[in-house]
């Protein structure tokens, strides 16, 4: 097991922040993880597990062990006429995994193209885009309990998936090391183009016959237009969650802001677009010294040149305060702050 000391995390977070950690350890096999968790070093230091680092903001150095999940491998475990079961290791790159499924004509995650991060990070915050959430296709999450060293399996229900959340982001946070995820994908695609922008993009692209590749290409085109590429501009996708409010609150807001985008939910609540709320407060495209709010999507905070994320955190506080003052709604962060 190779241990790097006083290592930079710059390459391991999509904000591109230069936080340091005391020890950096890359895990390529479950055996080396077992070895690590038995060690004195592990027992004496706090730990943090990173996949692609696409949902973290570092405001300071991490005074402990950062564990990078680099487990790899994708395997078809079973199939029938309709579906195929795939087991993918947690360290696999998410978008490469999506492309692999599309090439094999396995349907279900094409709408989730180009989301940064790893396979193992996907269930943690139940990634979602364009009308699909990863919980729709996950059958099992396999993980090592970091206290006992035992391998445990979590069924879809046991993961307690919700909007951008799961048990791995709440009660089990930092207590499990996800090793792989089991997916059930479909051999016969059920295209989900209900999200307006996808239909429009497919038309623009002149697509006559839908295919997994065409839907994926449309999603890639939309994301590329709206969202900054983390390889060029540091960011962690949506910084905040879209808030849900009661019918009463929505009625009050609609009276004052007739154009407010809104998405009625099955539980009778109404989901609002945080990006719209933030834009209305005048933040969209605002640039400060090395960081700011993205010009095409106000929900995305960007890092142009900061080494430390504290100013981005402070900006997020100001945004929360102004949305609170104007709309009476408290935004919640989607990213994990350290
Ligand atoms: N809007 C604005 N101004 C903005 C941004 C958005 O007015 O600056 C409006 C749009 O015009 C639209 C509405 O807000 O009416 C929704 O915008 P959009 O379709 O871009 O989606 P979103 O709600 O901002 C969510 C997810 C994204 C996901 C997209 C597409 C969250 C927090 N974000 O964004 O996920 O890609 O829908 O499905 O749920 C992520 O979680 O990191 C992420 C990128």
């Amino acid at each position: 097991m190779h241990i790097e000391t006083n290592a930079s995390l710059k390459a391991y977070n999509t904000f591109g922040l230069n936080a340091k950690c005391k020890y950096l350890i890359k895990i390529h096999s479950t055996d080396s993880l077992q070895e690590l968790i038995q060690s004195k070093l592990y027992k004496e230091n706090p730990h943090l597990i990173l996949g692609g680092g696409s949902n973290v903001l570092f405001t300071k150095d991490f005074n402990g062990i950062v564990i990078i999940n680099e487990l790899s491998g994708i395997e078809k475990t079973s199939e029938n006429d309709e579906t195929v079961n795939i087991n993918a290791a947690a360290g696999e790159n998410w978008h490469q995994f999506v492309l692999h499924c599309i090439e094999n004509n396995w349907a279900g995650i094409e709408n989730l193209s180009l989301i940064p991060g790893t396979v193992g990070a996907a269930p943690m915050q139940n990634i979602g885009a364009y009308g699909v959430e990863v919980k729709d296709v996950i059958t099992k999450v396999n993980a090592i309990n970091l206290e006992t060293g035992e391998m445990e399996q979590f069924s879809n229900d046991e993961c307690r998936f919700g909007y951008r959340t799961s048990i791995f982001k709440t009660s089990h946070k930092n207590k499990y090391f996800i090793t792989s995820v089991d997916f059930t994908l479909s051999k016969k695609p059920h295209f989900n183009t209900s999200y307006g922008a996808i239909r429009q993009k497919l038309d623009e692209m002149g697509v006559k016959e839908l295919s997994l590749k065409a839907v994926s290409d449309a999603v890639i085109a939309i994301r590329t237009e709206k969202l900054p590429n983390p390889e060029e501009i540091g960011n962690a996708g949506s910084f905040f969650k879209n808030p849900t409010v009661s019918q009463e609150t929505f009625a009050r807001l609609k009276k004052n802001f007739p154009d407010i985008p809104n998405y009625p939910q099955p539980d009778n609540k109404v989901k609002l677009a945080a990006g719209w709320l933030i834009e209305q407060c005048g933040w969209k495209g605002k640039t400060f010294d090395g960081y700011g709010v993205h010009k095409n999507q106000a929900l995305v905070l960007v890092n142009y040149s900061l080494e430390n994320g504290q100013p981005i955190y402070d900006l997020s506080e100001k945004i929360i305060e102004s949305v609170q003052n104007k709309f009476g709604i408290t935004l919640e962060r989607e990213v994990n702050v350290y």
Side-chain angles (χ1 to χ4, degrees), residues 220-273:
I220 290 172
I222 301 167
R223 290 190 76 96
T224 307
E225 275 164 27
K226 279 203 170 180
L227 301 168
N229 176 354
E231 275 164 30
E232 287 156 17
I233 302 173
N235 75 92
S238 300
F239 197 91
F240 303 96
K241 293 186 190 182
N242 284 329
T244 34
V245 298
S246 65
Q247 289 287 349
E248 296 74 53
T249 305
F250 176 62
R252 171 180 64 76
L253 288 165
K254 177 93 182 153
K255 226 162 96 200
N256 295 332
F257 308 96
D259 298 334
I260 188 165
N262 61 93
Y263 312 91
Q265 299 296 296
D267 60 0
N268 212 26
K269 294 218 164 134
V270 182
K271 191 179 267 188
L272 304 175

Side-chain angles (χ1 to χ4, degrees), residues 128-130 163-164 195 223 226-227 236-238 240-242 261 263 273 275-276 279 284 297-299 334:
Y130 309 107
Y163 167 58
R164 293 296 188 278
Y195 206 90
R223 290 190 76 96
K226 279 203 170 180
L227 301 168
S238 300
F240 303 96
K241 293 186 190 182
N242 284 329
Y263 312 91
W276 185 89
E279 180 173 352
K284 192 171 182 171
Q297 167 52 291
L299 199 45
E334 186 188 300

Side-chain angles (χ1 to χ4, degrees), residues 99-293:
L99 295 181
H100 177 80
C101 293
I102 292 169
E103 271 162 32
N104 284 284
N105 260 319
W106 302 330
I109 51 175
E110 55 285 353
N111 291 38
L112 303 180
S113 295
L114 211 63
I115 297 184
T118 56
V119 165
M124 290 189 73
Q125 57 151 345
N126 182 22
I127 58 170
Y130 309 107
V132 173
E133 285 183 326
V134 77
K135 73 166 172 52
D136 304 338
V137 290
I138 287 180
T139 41
K140 236 179 347 168
V141 173
N142 309 295
I144 291 176
N145 180 326
L146 290 168
E147 233 165 69
T148 63
E150 299 284 323
M151 177 70 93
E152 293 182 26
Q153 300 189 322
F154 294 83
S155 67
N156 185 299
D157 272 355
E158 285 166 342
C159 291
R160 306 230 188 106
F161 290 120
Y163 167 58
R164 293 296 188 278
T165 190
S166 76
I167 200 167
F168 302 106
K169 210 180 160 179
T170 52
S171 58
H172 287 29
K173 188 170 177 170
N174 255 323
K175 293 185 181 154
Y176 283 82
F177 181 89
I178 297 178
T179 55
S180 70
V181 181
D182 287 344
F183 301 88
T184 298
L185 300 172
S186 180
K187 288 186 176 173
K188 296 174 187 146
H190 308 279
F191 296 109
N192 187 337
T193 57
S194 54
Y195 206 90
I198 294 196
R199 269 257 63 92
Q200 200 184 327
K201 185 54 75 183
L202 287 165
D203 289 346
E204 265 173 53
M205 289 164 46
V207 172
K208 298 270 179 309
E209 207 178 315
L210 282 181
S211 66
L212 298 180
K213 171 91 169 49
V215 173
S216 169
D217 285 347
V219 168
I220 290 172
I222 301 167
R223 290 190 76 96
T224 307
E225 275 164 27
K226 279 203 170 180
L227 301 168
N229 176 354
E231 275 164 30
E232 287 156 17
I233 302 173
N235 75 92
S238 300
F239 197 91
F240 303 96
K241 293 186 190 182
N242 284 329
T244 34
V245 298
S246 65
Q247 289 287 349
E248 296 74 53
T249 305
F250 176 62
R252 171 180 64 76
L253 288 165
K254 177 93 182 153
K255 226 162 96 200
N256 295 332
F257 308 96
D259 298 334
I260 188 165
N262 61 93
Y263 312 91
Q265 299 296 296
D267 60 0
N268 212 26
K269 294 218 164 134
V270 182
K271 191 179 267 188
L272 304 175
W276 185 89
L277 301 171
I278 296 168
E279 180 173 352
Q280 296 301 305
C281 293
W283 292 105
K284 192 171 182 171
K286 277 256 173 352
T287 302
F288 305 95
D289 199 7
Y291 64 104
V293 180

